[in-house]
Amino acid sequence: MNVAEPSLTRAVVLLSGGLDSSTLLHYVCRRLGVGEVHALSYFYGQKHSRELDMAKWQAAAAGAAEHMVIDLGFFAGLTAGGSALTDPDIPVPDMQAVREEDREQPPTYVPNRNMILLSLAAAFAESRGIADVFYGAQAQDEYGYWDCTAEFLRRINRVLSLNRRRPVTIHAPFIAMRKADELRLGRELGVDYAHTWTCYRGATVPCGTCPACAERRAAFRELGIPDPLAT
């Protein structure tokens, strides 16, 4: 993997508790060797909080200096009608039910979520005197979101660079990586994927058919290894 990141001593990592962000957290702590990592997780009105339990576990496993969960529960009401992840009246679709023309911005997209979460993370980092924030955007194999693209990353960093005293830089080292490659890296880093949660539906076990589950299971199949959460 060719990822050029600066030499850091402190960083903020957005940690959802899923495969992407958990891999990222261990990457920042272990591969980049950042000594002081502050993990931020968000409750933004998503339909379940299973992933936040996993985020807590991963933050402890990676040795994060701090793990903060930020309550944005109001966001579900703000985005009512806009996302299957936050509106209880919009069902989460199966991957196979998402039409090809909708896959560039599927029903599971949450309006402006990453812009908001990254802005809050940048405010947190700036207040702590930390210059670098990481988030787990990656190149989805079957569908995608505009706020996980290289163009989005460039533009948000251009805005943040306007700061006259303490500019913060957003990093997305996996932004061009497929999930299988990300999983391969995580296994090298010793990430325990039994303590991650990817499914958009908050049942006792992953549904296996929603877009997030489909991507995850395809990655494990490509590497020829079992998903510890698969039933």
PDB file of all heavy atoms in Angstrom, residues 11-15 19-32 34 37-40 54-67 134 136 174 189 191:
ATOM      1  N   ALA A  11      -3.148  12.779  16.806  1.00  0.00           N
ATOM      2  CA  ALA A  11      -4.137  12.741  15.722  1.00  0.00           C
ATOM      3  C   ALA A  11      -5.517  12.461  16.282  1.00  0.00           C
ATOM      4  O   ALA A  11      -5.674  11.915  17.384  1.00  0.00           O
ATOM      5  CB  ALA A  11      -3.765  11.677  14.693  1.00  0.00           C
ATOM      6  N   VAL A  12      -6.524  12.825  15.497  1.00  0.00           N
ATOM      7  CA  VAL A  12      -7.922  12.502  15.773  1.00  0.00           C
ATOM      8  C   VAL A  12      -8.376  11.510  14.714  1.00  0.00           C
ATOM      9  O   VAL A  12      -8.090  11.689  13.525  1.00  0.00           O
ATOM     10  CB  VAL A  12      -8.808  13.761  15.734  1.00  0.00           C
ATOM     11  CG1 VAL A  12     -10.287  13.397  15.856  1.00  0.00           C
ATOM     12  CG2 VAL A  12      -8.417  14.736  16.845  1.00  0.00           C
ATOM     13  N   VAL A  13      -9.079  10.465  15.132  1.00  0.00           N
ATOM     14  CA  VAL A  13      -9.594   9.456  14.208  1.00  0.00           C
ATOM     15  C   VAL A  13     -11.094   9.321  14.395  1.00  0.00           C
ATOM     16  O   VAL A  13     -11.568   9.125  15.525  1.00  0.00           O
ATOM     17  CB  VAL A  13      -8.922   8.085  14.432  1.00  0.00           C
ATOM     18  CG1 VAL A  13      -9.573   7.019  13.551  1.00  0.00           C
ATOM     19  CG2 VAL A  13      -7.425   8.162  14.154  1.00  0.00           C
ATOM     20  N   LEU A  14     -11.858   9.431  13.298  1.00  0.00           N
ATOM     21  CA  LEU A  14     -13.293   9.160  13.358  1.00  0.00           C
ATOM     22  C   LEU A  14     -13.489   7.655  13.396  1.00  0.00           C
ATOM     23  O   LEU A  14     -13.007   6.940  12.513  1.00  0.00           O
ATOM     24  CB  LEU A  14     -14.008   9.758  12.149  1.00  0.00           C
ATOM     25  CG  LEU A  14     -14.480  11.210  12.296  1.00  0.00           C
ATOM     26  CD1 LEU A  14     -13.306  12.162  12.479  1.00  0.00           C
ATOM     27  CD2 LEU A  14     -15.316  11.636  11.090  1.00  0.00           C
ATOM     28  N   LEU A  15     -14.186   7.186  14.414  1.00  0.00           N
ATOM     29  CA  LEU A  15     -14.320   5.748  14.657  1.00  0.00           C
ATOM     30  C   LEU A  15     -15.785   5.370  14.770  1.00  0.00           C
ATOM     31  O   LEU A  15     -16.430   5.646  15.783  1.00  0.00           O
ATOM     32  CB  LEU A  15     -13.570   5.375  15.942  1.00  0.00           C
ATOM     33  CG  LEU A  15     -13.639   3.917  16.390  1.00  0.00           C
ATOM     34  CD1 LEU A  15     -12.963   3.001  15.376  1.00  0.00           C
ATOM     35  CD2 LEU A  15     -13.001   3.767  17.781  1.00  0.00           C
ATOM     36  N   LEU A  19     -15.798  -1.907   9.880  1.00  0.00           N
ATOM     37  CA  LEU A  19     -14.546  -2.463   9.360  1.00  0.00           C
ATOM     38  C   LEU A  19     -13.581  -1.371   8.932  1.00  0.00           C
ATOM     39  O   LEU A  19     -12.388  -1.416   9.253  1.00  0.00           O
ATOM     40  CB  LEU A  19     -14.860  -3.411   8.193  1.00  0.00           C
ATOM     41  CG  LEU A  19     -13.706  -4.205   7.586  1.00  0.00           C
ATOM     42  CD1 LEU A  19     -14.211  -5.524   7.011  1.00  0.00           C
ATOM     43  CD2 LEU A  19     -12.990  -3.421   6.482  1.00  0.00           C
ATOM     44  N   ASP A  20     -14.082  -0.377   8.197  1.00  0.00           N
ATOM     45  CA  ASP A  20     -13.206   0.668   7.665  1.00  0.00           C
ATOM     46  C   ASP A  20     -12.537   1.478   8.765  1.00  0.00           C
ATOM     47  O   ASP A  20     -11.314   1.633   8.796  1.00  0.00           O
ATOM     48  CB  ASP A  20     -14.004   1.614   6.764  1.00  0.00           C
ATOM     49  CG  ASP A  20     -14.671   0.907   5.599  1.00  0.00           C
ATOM     50  OD1 ASP A  20     -14.119  -0.107   5.127  1.00  0.00           O
ATOM     51  OD2 ASP A  20     -15.732   1.373   5.168  1.00  0.00           O
ATOM     52  N   SER A  21     -13.339   2.021   9.664  1.00  0.00           N
ATOM     53  CA  SER A  21     -12.785   2.921  10.678  1.00  0.00           C
ATOM     54  C   SER A  21     -11.953   2.170  11.713  1.00  0.00           C
ATOM     55  O   SER A  21     -10.984   2.716  12.253  1.00  0.00           O
ATOM     56  CB  SER A  21     -13.898   3.716  11.368  1.00  0.00           C
ATOM     57  OG  SER A  21     -14.719   2.882  12.151  1.00  0.00           O
ATOM     58  N   SER A  22     -12.305   0.924  11.988  1.00  0.00           N
ATOM     59  CA  SER A  22     -11.510   0.137  12.937  1.00  0.00           C
ATOM     60  C   SER A  22     -10.139  -0.165  12.355  1.00  0.00           C
ATOM     61  O   SER A  22      -9.109  -0.072  13.043  1.00  0.00           O
ATOM     62  CB  SER A  22     -12.240  -1.165  13.295  1.00  0.00           C
ATOM     63  OG  SER A  22     -13.447  -0.896  13.974  1.00  0.00           O
ATOM     64  N   THR A  23     -10.110  -0.509  11.066  1.00  0.00           N
ATOM     65  CA  THR A  23      -8.822  -0.718  10.398  1.00  0.00           C
ATOM     66  C   THR A  23      -8.006   0.563  10.419  1.00  0.00           C
ATOM     67  O   THR A  23      -6.799   0.545  10.688  1.00  0.00           O
ATOM     68  CB  THR A  23      -9.048  -1.180   8.947  1.00  0.00           C
ATOM     69  OG1 THR A  23      -9.857  -2.358   8.932  1.00  0.00           O
ATOM     70  CG2 THR A  23      -7.723  -1.469   8.255  1.00  0.00           C
ATOM     71  N   LEU A  24      -8.662   1.673  10.138  1.00  0.00           N
ATOM     72  CA  LEU A  24      -7.977   2.965  10.137  1.00  0.00           C
ATOM     73  C   LEU A  24      -7.376   3.283  11.501  1.00  0.00           C
ATOM     74  O   LEU A  24      -6.230   3.740  11.594  1.00  0.00           O
ATOM     75  CB  LEU A  24      -8.959   4.068   9.728  1.00  0.00           C
ATOM     76  CG  LEU A  24      -8.407   5.486   9.761  1.00  0.00           C
ATOM     77  CD1 LEU A  24      -7.327   5.670   8.708  1.00  0.00           C
ATOM     78  CD2 LEU A  24      -9.535   6.502   9.560  1.00  0.00           C
ATOM     79  N   LEU A  25      -8.137   3.056  12.553  1.00  0.00           N
ATOM     80  CA  LEU A  25      -7.639   3.359  13.898  1.00  0.00           C
ATOM     81  C   LEU A  25      -6.353   2.593  14.187  1.00  0.00           C
ATOM     82  O   LEU A  25      -5.369   3.165  14.669  1.00  0.00           O
ATOM     83  CB  LEU A  25      -8.700   3.009  14.942  1.00  0.00           C
ATOM     84  CG  LEU A  25      -8.282   3.195  16.397  1.00  0.00           C
ATOM     85  CD1 LEU A  25      -8.082   4.669  16.715  1.00  0.00           C
ATOM     86  CD2 LEU A  25      -9.307   2.578  17.340  1.00  0.00           C
ATOM     87  N   HIS A  26      -6.345   1.306  13.881  1.00  0.00           N
ATOM     88  CA  HIS A  26      -5.151   0.497  14.137  1.00  0.00           C
ATOM     89  C   HIS A  26      -4.013   0.896  13.205  1.00  0.00           C
ATOM     90  O   HIS A  26      -2.839   0.847  13.599  1.00  0.00           O
ATOM     91  CB  HIS A  26      -5.496  -0.986  13.998  1.00  0.00           C
ATOM     92  CG  HIS A  26      -6.341  -1.501  15.119  1.00  0.00           C
ATOM     93  ND1 HIS A  26      -5.811  -2.051  16.269  1.00  0.00           N
ATOM     94  CD2 HIS A  26      -7.689  -1.510  15.295  1.00  0.00           C
ATOM     95  CE1 HIS A  26      -6.790  -2.398  17.090  1.00  0.00           C
ATOM     96  NE2 HIS A  26      -7.941  -2.082  16.516  1.00  0.00           N
ATOM     97  N   TYR A  27      -4.346   1.317  12.007  1.00  0.00           N
ATOM     98  CA  TYR A  27      -3.335   1.802  11.067  1.00  0.00           C
ATOM     99  C   TYR A  27      -2.637   3.050  11.619  1.00  0.00           C
ATOM    100  O   TYR A  27      -1.409   3.156  11.604  1.00  0.00           O
ATOM    101  CB  TYR A  27      -3.989   2.101   9.721  1.00  0.00           C
ATOM    102  CG  TYR A  27      -3.087   2.795   8.736  1.00  0.00           C
ATOM    103  CD1 TYR A  27      -2.155   2.081   7.990  1.00  0.00           C
ATOM    104  CD2 TYR A  27      -3.177   4.170   8.535  1.00  0.00           C
ATOM    105  CE1 TYR A  27      -1.331   2.719   7.073  1.00  0.00           C
ATOM    106  CE2 TYR A  27      -2.362   4.813   7.629  1.00  0.00           C
ATOM    107  CZ  TYR A  27      -1.441   4.088   6.891  1.00  0.00           C
ATOM    108  OH  TYR A  27      -0.623   4.724   5.993  1.00  0.00           O
ATOM    109  N   VAL A  28      -3.428   3.982  12.115  1.00  0.00           N
ATOM    110  CA  VAL A  28      -2.862   5.222  12.651  1.00  0.00           C
ATOM    111  C   VAL A  28      -2.030   4.936  13.901  1.00  0.00           C
ATOM    112  O   VAL A  28      -0.923   5.471  14.064  1.00  0.00           O
ATOM    113  CB  VAL A  28      -3.987   6.239  12.960  1.00  0.00           C
ATOM    114  CG1 VAL A  28      -3.436   7.459  13.708  1.00  0.00           C
ATOM    115  CG2 VAL A  28      -4.662   6.684  11.663  1.00  0.00           C
ATOM    116  N   CYS A  29      -2.536   4.075  14.765  1.00  0.00           N
ATOM    117  CA  CYS A  29      -1.822   3.777  16.007  1.00  0.00           C
ATOM    118  C   CYS A  29      -0.579   2.917  15.783  1.00  0.00           C
ATOM    119  O   CYS A  29       0.477   3.179  16.381  1.00  0.00           O
ATOM    120  CB  CYS A  29      -2.756   3.058  16.983  1.00  0.00           C
ATOM    121  SG  CYS A  29      -4.093   4.078  17.659  1.00  0.00           S
ATOM    122  N   ARG A  30      -0.688   1.927  14.898  1.00  0.00           N
ATOM    123  CA  ARG A  30       0.381   0.937  14.778  1.00  0.00           C
ATOM    124  C   ARG A  30       1.307   1.174  13.588  1.00  0.00           C
ATOM    125  O   ARG A  30       2.523   1.119  13.734  1.00  0.00           O
ATOM    126  CB  ARG A  30      -0.227  -0.469  14.699  1.00  0.00           C
ATOM    127  CG  ARG A  30      -0.983  -0.837  15.964  1.00  0.00           C
ATOM    128  CD  ARG A  30      -1.688  -2.178  15.858  1.00  0.00           C
ATOM    129  NE  ARG A  30      -2.426  -2.476  17.089  1.00  0.00           N
ATOM    130  CZ  ARG A  30      -3.202  -3.544  17.249  1.00  0.00           C
ATOM    131  NH1 ARG A  30      -3.361  -4.406  16.262  1.00  0.00           N
ATOM    132  NH2 ARG A  30      -3.837  -3.736  18.396  1.00  0.00           N
ATOM    133  N   ARG A  31       0.729   1.430  12.422  1.00  0.00           N
ATOM    134  CA  ARG A  31       1.573   1.605  11.243  1.00  0.00           C
ATOM    135  C   ARG A  31       2.200   2.997  11.209  1.00  0.00           C
ATOM    136  O   ARG A  31       3.386   3.147  10.919  1.00  0.00           O
ATOM    137  CB  ARG A  31       0.762   1.342   9.975  1.00  0.00           C
ATOM    138  CG  ARG A  31       1.551   1.390   8.676  1.00  0.00           C
ATOM    139  CD  ARG A  31       2.620   0.329   8.586  1.00  0.00           C
ATOM    140  NE  ARG A  31       2.122  -1.032   8.714  1.00  0.00           N
ATOM    141  CZ  ARG A  31       1.641  -1.776   7.707  1.00  0.00           C
ATOM    142  NH1 ARG A  31       1.571  -1.272   6.491  1.00  0.00           N
ATOM    143  NH2 ARG A  31       1.246  -3.016   7.926  1.00  0.00           N
ATOM    144  N   LEU A  32       1.392   4.005  11.506  1.00  0.00           N
ATOM    145  CA  LEU A  32       1.939   5.365  11.545  1.00  0.00           C
ATOM    146  C   LEU A  32       2.632   5.659  12.867  1.00  0.00           C
ATOM    147  O   LEU A  32       3.410   6.604  12.960  1.00  0.00           O
ATOM    148  CB  LEU A  32       0.834   6.393  11.297  1.00  0.00           C
ATOM    149  CG  LEU A  32       0.140   6.349   9.934  1.00  0.00           C
ATOM    150  CD1 LEU A  32      -0.816   7.526   9.794  1.00  0.00           C
ATOM    151  CD2 LEU A  32       1.146   6.344   8.795  1.00  0.00           C
ATOM    152  N   VAL A  34       1.421   6.820  15.707  1.00  0.00           N
ATOM    153  CA  VAL A  34       1.000   8.044  16.393  1.00  0.00           C
ATOM    154  C   VAL A  34       0.795   7.736  17.873  1.00  0.00           C
ATOM    155  O   VAL A  34       0.011   6.848  18.233  1.00  0.00           O
ATOM    156  CB  VAL A  34      -0.297   8.603  15.774  1.00  0.00           C
ATOM    157  CG1 VAL A  34      -0.737   9.853  16.526  1.00  0.00           C
ATOM    158  CG2 VAL A  34      -0.081   8.902  14.291  1.00  0.00           C
ATOM    159  N   VAL A  37      -3.661   9.275  20.199  1.00  0.00           N
ATOM    160  CA  VAL A  37      -4.783   9.227  19.257  1.00  0.00           C
ATOM    161  C   VAL A  37      -6.088   9.435  20.011  1.00  0.00           C
ATOM    162  O   VAL A  37      -6.371   8.752  20.996  1.00  0.00           O
ATOM    163  CB  VAL A  37      -4.818   7.880  18.511  1.00  0.00           C
ATOM    164  CG1 VAL A  37      -6.073   7.790  17.639  1.00  0.00           C
ATOM    165  CG2 VAL A  37      -3.569   7.713  17.656  1.00  0.00           C
ATOM    166  N   HIS A  38      -6.867  10.388  19.528  1.00  0.00           N
ATOM    167  CA  HIS A  38      -8.183  10.679  20.106  1.00  0.00           C
ATOM    168  C   HIS A  38      -9.233  10.159  19.137  1.00  0.00           C
ATOM    169  O   HIS A  38      -9.321  10.610  17.993  1.00  0.00           O
ATOM    170  CB  HIS A  38      -8.353  12.184  20.324  1.00  0.00           C
ATOM    171  CG  HIS A  38      -7.351  12.763  21.270  1.00  0.00           C
ATOM    172  ND1 HIS A  38      -7.639  13.021  22.593  1.00  0.00           N
ATOM    173  CD2 HIS A  38      -6.051  13.113  21.082  1.00  0.00           C
ATOM    174  CE1 HIS A  38      -6.562  13.511  23.185  1.00  0.00           C
ATOM    175  NE2 HIS A  38      -5.581  13.577  22.291  1.00  0.00           N
ATOM    176  N   ALA A  39     -10.030   9.189  19.573  1.00  0.00           N
ATOM    177  CA  ALA A  39     -11.063   8.582  18.728  1.00  0.00           C
ATOM    178  C   ALA A  39     -12.400   9.261  18.995  1.00  0.00           C
ATOM    179  O   ALA A  39     -12.810   9.415  20.151  1.00  0.00           O
ATOM    180  CB  ALA A  39     -11.159   7.089  19.006  1.00  0.00           C
ATOM    181  N   LEU A  40     -13.067   9.654  17.915  1.00  0.00           N
ATOM    182  CA  LEU A  40     -14.385  10.282  18.021  1.00  0.00           C
ATOM    183  C   LEU A  40     -15.427   9.392  17.355  1.00  0.00           C
ATOM    184  O   LEU A  40     -15.260   8.988  16.202  1.00  0.00           O
ATOM    185  CB  LEU A  40     -14.397  11.652  17.333  1.00  0.00           C
ATOM    186  CG  LEU A  40     -13.535  12.765  17.910  1.00  0.00           C
ATOM    187  CD1 LEU A  40     -13.801  14.061  17.139  1.00  0.00           C
ATOM    188  CD2 LEU A  40     -13.805  12.964  19.390  1.00  0.00           C
ATOM    189  N   MET A  54     -18.906  -1.486  19.485  1.00  0.00           N
ATOM    190  CA  MET A  54     -17.681  -1.979  18.857  1.00  0.00           C
ATOM    191  C   MET A  54     -16.607  -0.901  18.831  1.00  0.00           C
ATOM    192  O   MET A  54     -15.414  -1.190  19.007  1.00  0.00           O
ATOM    193  CB  MET A  54     -17.979  -2.460  17.435  1.00  0.00           C
ATOM    194  CG  MET A  54     -19.023  -3.550  17.362  1.00  0.00           C
ATOM    195  SD  MET A  54     -18.544  -5.034  18.307  1.00  0.00           S
ATOM    196  CE  MET A  54     -19.902  -6.127  17.919  1.00  0.00           C
ATOM    197  N   ALA A  55     -17.010   0.341  18.629  1.00  0.00           N
ATOM    198  CA  ALA A  55     -16.053   1.446  18.622  1.00  0.00           C
ATOM    199  C   ALA A  55     -15.357   1.546  19.971  1.00  0.00           C
ATOM    200  O   ALA A  55     -14.132   1.747  20.046  1.00  0.00           O
ATOM    201  CB  ALA A  55     -16.763   2.754  18.281  1.00  0.00           C
ATOM    202  N   LYS A  56     -16.124   1.407  21.029  1.00  0.00           N
ATOM    203  CA  LYS A  56     -15.533   1.447  22.374  1.00  0.00           C
ATOM    204  C   LYS A  56     -14.504   0.341  22.541  1.00  0.00           C
ATOM    205  O   LYS A  56     -13.402   0.565  23.084  1.00  0.00           O
ATOM    206  CB  LYS A  56     -16.649   1.319  23.422  1.00  0.00           C
ATOM    207  CG  LYS A  56     -16.150   1.351  24.861  1.00  0.00           C
ATOM    208  CD  LYS A  56     -17.323   1.219  25.839  1.00  0.00           C
ATOM    209  CE  LYS A  56     -16.820   1.229  27.278  1.00  0.00           C
ATOM    210  NZ  LYS A  56     -17.959   1.100  28.244  1.00  0.00           N
ATOM    211  N   TRP A  57     -14.843  -0.865  22.081  1.00  0.00           N
ATOM    212  CA  TRP A  57     -13.925  -2.001  22.199  1.00  0.00           C
ATOM    213  C   TRP A  57     -12.659  -1.752  21.391  1.00  0.00           C
ATOM    214  O   TRP A  57     -11.542  -1.988  21.872  1.00  0.00           O
ATOM    215  CB  TRP A  57     -14.618  -3.275  21.709  1.00  0.00           C
ATOM    216  CG  TRP A  57     -13.880  -4.532  22.070  1.00  0.00           C
ATOM    217  CD1 TRP A  57     -14.113  -5.347  23.143  1.00  0.00           C
ATOM    218  CD2 TRP A  57     -12.775  -5.116  21.346  1.00  0.00           C
ATOM    219  NE1 TRP A  57     -13.221  -6.397  23.140  1.00  0.00           N
ATOM    220  CE2 TRP A  57     -12.392  -6.288  22.050  1.00  0.00           C
ATOM    221  CE3 TRP A  57     -12.091  -4.769  20.190  1.00  0.00           C
ATOM    222  CZ2 TRP A  57     -11.348  -7.100  21.615  1.00  0.00           C
ATOM    223  CZ3 TRP A  57     -11.040  -5.580  19.758  1.00  0.00           C
ATOM    224  CH2 TRP A  57     -10.675  -6.733  20.478  1.00  0.00           C
ATOM    225  N   GLN A  58     -12.810  -1.280  20.163  1.00  0.00           N
ATOM    226  CA  GLN A  58     -11.647  -1.058  19.300  1.00  0.00           C
ATOM    227  C   GLN A  58     -10.756   0.067  19.821  1.00  0.00           C
ATOM    228  O   GLN A  58      -9.518  -0.011  19.726  1.00  0.00           O
ATOM    229  CB  GLN A  58     -12.099  -0.748  17.871  1.00  0.00           C
ATOM    230  CG  GLN A  58     -12.752  -1.917  17.147  1.00  0.00           C
ATOM    231  CD  GLN A  58     -11.779  -3.053  16.842  1.00  0.00           C
ATOM    232  OE1 GLN A  58     -10.563  -2.887  16.914  1.00  0.00           O
ATOM    233  NE2 GLN A  58     -12.322  -4.209  16.501  1.00  0.00           N
ATOM    234  N   ALA A  59     -11.345   1.107  20.382  1.00  0.00           N
ATOM    235  CA  ALA A  59     -10.544   2.207  20.937  1.00  0.00           C
ATOM    236  C   ALA A  59      -9.656   1.700  22.059  1.00  0.00           C
ATOM    237  O   ALA A  59      -8.469   2.058  22.151  1.00  0.00           O
ATOM    238  CB  ALA A  59     -11.452   3.322  21.434  1.00  0.00           C
ATOM    239  N   ALA A  60     -10.212   0.833  22.903  1.00  0.00           N
ATOM    240  CA  ALA A  60      -9.421   0.261  23.996  1.00  0.00           C
ATOM    241  C   ALA A  60      -8.347  -0.678  23.454  1.00  0.00           C
ATOM    242  O   ALA A  60      -7.196  -0.660  23.905  1.00  0.00           O
ATOM    243  CB  ALA A  60     -10.338  -0.483  24.970  1.00  0.00           C
ATOM    244  N   ALA A  61      -8.700  -1.498  22.458  1.00  0.00           N
ATOM    245  CA  ALA A  61      -7.751  -2.465  21.898  1.00  0.00           C
ATOM    246  C   ALA A  61      -6.580  -1.773  21.215  1.00  0.00           C
ATOM    247  O   ALA A  61      -5.450  -2.264  21.255  1.00  0.00           O
ATOM    248  CB  ALA A  61      -8.469  -3.380  20.910  1.00  0.00           C
ATOM    249  N   ALA A  62      -6.846  -0.638  20.577  1.00  0.00           N
ATOM    250  CA  ALA A  62      -5.792   0.079  19.864  1.00  0.00           C
ATOM    251  C   ALA A  62      -4.961   0.963  20.787  1.00  0.00           C
ATOM    252  O   ALA A  62      -3.926   1.484  20.376  1.00  0.00           O
ATOM    253  CB  ALA A  62      -6.403   0.919  18.742  1.00  0.00           C
ATOM    254  N   GLY A  63      -5.438   1.165  22.005  1.00  0.00           N
ATOM    255  CA  GLY A  63      -4.705   2.015  22.942  1.00  0.00           C
ATOM    256  C   GLY A  63      -4.919   3.493  22.713  1.00  0.00           C
ATOM    257  O   GLY A  63      -4.011   4.306  22.955  1.00  0.00           O
ATOM    258  N   ALA A  64      -6.117   3.876  22.252  1.00  0.00           N
ATOM    259  CA  ALA A  64      -6.406   5.291  22.048  1.00  0.00           C
ATOM    260  C   ALA A  64      -6.316   6.050  23.366  1.00  0.00           C
ATOM    261  O   ALA A  64      -6.716   5.543  24.417  1.00  0.00           O
ATOM    262  CB  ALA A  64      -7.800   5.460  21.449  1.00  0.00           C
ATOM    263  N   ALA A  65      -5.803   7.257  23.306  1.00  0.00           N
ATOM    264  CA  ALA A  65      -5.673   8.073  24.505  1.00  0.00           C
ATOM    265  C   ALA A  65      -7.035   8.512  25.025  1.00  0.00           C
ATOM    266  O   ALA A  65      -7.210   8.740  26.233  1.00  0.00           O
ATOM    267  CB  ALA A  65      -4.814   9.300  24.199  1.00  0.00           C
ATOM    268  N   GLU A  66      -8.004   8.605  24.132  1.00  0.00           N
ATOM    269  CA  GLU A  66      -9.342   9.073  24.504  1.00  0.00           C
ATOM    270  C   GLU A  66     -10.341   8.545  23.492  1.00  0.00           C
ATOM    271  O   GLU A  66     -10.039   8.436  22.301  1.00  0.00           O
ATOM    272  CB  GLU A  66      -9.371  10.604  24.515  1.00  0.00           C
ATOM    273  CG  GLU A  66     -10.708  11.227  24.820  1.00  0.00           C
ATOM    274  CD  GLU A  66     -10.690  12.748  24.780  1.00  0.00           C
ATOM    275  OE1 GLU A  66      -9.735  13.324  24.203  1.00  0.00           O
ATOM    276  OE2 GLU A  66     -11.635  13.359  25.312  1.00  0.00           O
ATOM    277  N   HIS A  67     -11.535   8.199  23.967  1.00  0.00           N
ATOM    278  CA  HIS A  67     -12.630   7.837  23.073  1.00  0.00           C
ATOM    279  C   HIS A  67     -13.854   8.624  23.514  1.00  0.00           C
ATOM    280  O   HIS A  67     -14.351   8.448  24.622  1.00  0.00           O
ATOM    281  CB  HIS A  67     -12.931   6.343  23.116  1.00  0.00           C
ATOM    282  CG  HIS A  67     -14.089   5.961  22.246  1.00  0.00           C
ATOM    283  ND1 HIS A  67     -15.086   5.098  22.663  1.00  0.00           N
ATOM    284  CD2 HIS A  67     -14.409   6.339  20.988  1.00  0.00           C
ATOM    285  CE1 HIS A  67     -15.961   4.957  21.682  1.00  0.00           C
ATOM    286  NE2 HIS A  67     -15.577   5.702  20.663  1.00  0.00           N
ATOM    287  N   PHE A 134      -8.260  11.967  10.780  1.00  0.00           N
ATOM    288  CA  PHE A 134      -8.357  10.856   9.841  1.00  0.00           C
ATOM    289  C   PHE A 134      -9.789  10.335   9.798  1.00  0.00           C
ATOM    290  O   PHE A 134     -10.439  10.218  10.835  1.00  0.00           O
ATOM    291  CB  PHE A 134      -7.446   9.712  10.278  1.00  0.00           C
ATOM    292  CG  PHE A 134      -5.969   9.983  10.108  1.00  0.00           C
ATOM    293  CD1 PHE A 134      -5.292  10.789  11.020  1.00  0.00           C
ATOM    294  CD2 PHE A 134      -5.260   9.431   9.048  1.00  0.00           C
ATOM    295  CE1 PHE A 134      -3.938  11.036  10.874  1.00  0.00           C
ATOM    296  CE2 PHE A 134      -3.904   9.675   8.904  1.00  0.00           C
ATOM    297  CZ  PHE A 134      -3.239  10.471   9.810  1.00  0.00           C
ATOM    298  N   GLY A 136     -12.314   7.186   7.568  1.00  0.00           N
ATOM    299  CA  GLY A 136     -12.147   5.928   6.861  1.00  0.00           C
ATOM    300  C   GLY A 136     -12.811   5.819   5.509  1.00  0.00           C
ATOM    301  O   GLY A 136     -13.299   4.739   5.157  1.00  0.00           O
ATOM    302  N   PHE A 174      -7.219   5.520   2.999  1.00  0.00           N
ATOM    303  CA  PHE A 174      -7.789   4.371   2.288  1.00  0.00           C
ATOM    304  C   PHE A 174      -8.695   4.791   1.128  1.00  0.00           C
ATOM    305  O   PHE A 174      -9.406   3.961   0.566  1.00  0.00           O
ATOM    306  CB  PHE A 174      -8.608   3.500   3.244  1.00  0.00           C
ATOM    307  CG  PHE A 174      -7.857   2.985   4.444  1.00  0.00           C
ATOM    308  CD1 PHE A 174      -8.551   2.590   5.585  1.00  0.00           C
ATOM    309  CD2 PHE A 174      -6.471   2.882   4.445  1.00  0.00           C
ATOM    310  CE1 PHE A 174      -7.866   2.101   6.692  1.00  0.00           C
ATOM    311  CE2 PHE A 174      -5.782   2.408   5.559  1.00  0.00           C
ATOM    312  CZ  PHE A 174      -6.492   2.014   6.686  1.00  0.00           C
ATOM    313  N   LEU A 189      -2.272  -5.925  10.568  1.00  0.00           N
ATOM    314  CA  LEU A 189      -2.179  -5.106  11.782  1.00  0.00           C
ATOM    315  C   LEU A 189      -2.768  -5.803  13.009  1.00  0.00           C
ATOM    316  O   LEU A 189      -2.680  -5.282  14.119  1.00  0.00           O
ATOM    317  CB  LEU A 189      -2.898  -3.769  11.565  1.00  0.00           C
ATOM    318  CG  LEU A 189      -2.297  -2.843  10.506  1.00  0.00           C
ATOM    319  CD1 LEU A 189      -3.245  -1.684  10.223  1.00  0.00           C
ATOM    320  CD2 LEU A 189      -0.941  -2.321  10.954  1.00  0.00           C
ATOM    321  N   VAL A 191      -6.076  -6.559  13.499  1.00  0.00           N
ATOM    322  CA  VAL A 191      -7.408  -6.079  13.874  1.00  0.00           C
ATOM    323  C   VAL A 191      -8.337  -7.275  14.104  1.00  0.00           C
ATOM    324  O   VAL A 191      -8.393  -8.196  13.287  1.00  0.00           O
ATOM    325  CB  VAL A 191      -7.995  -5.173  12.775  1.00  0.00           C
ATOM    326  CG1 VAL A 191      -9.388  -4.677  13.189  1.00  0.00           C
ATOM    327  CG2 VAL A 191      -7.075  -3.992  12.497  1.00  0.00           C
TER     328      VAL A 191
END
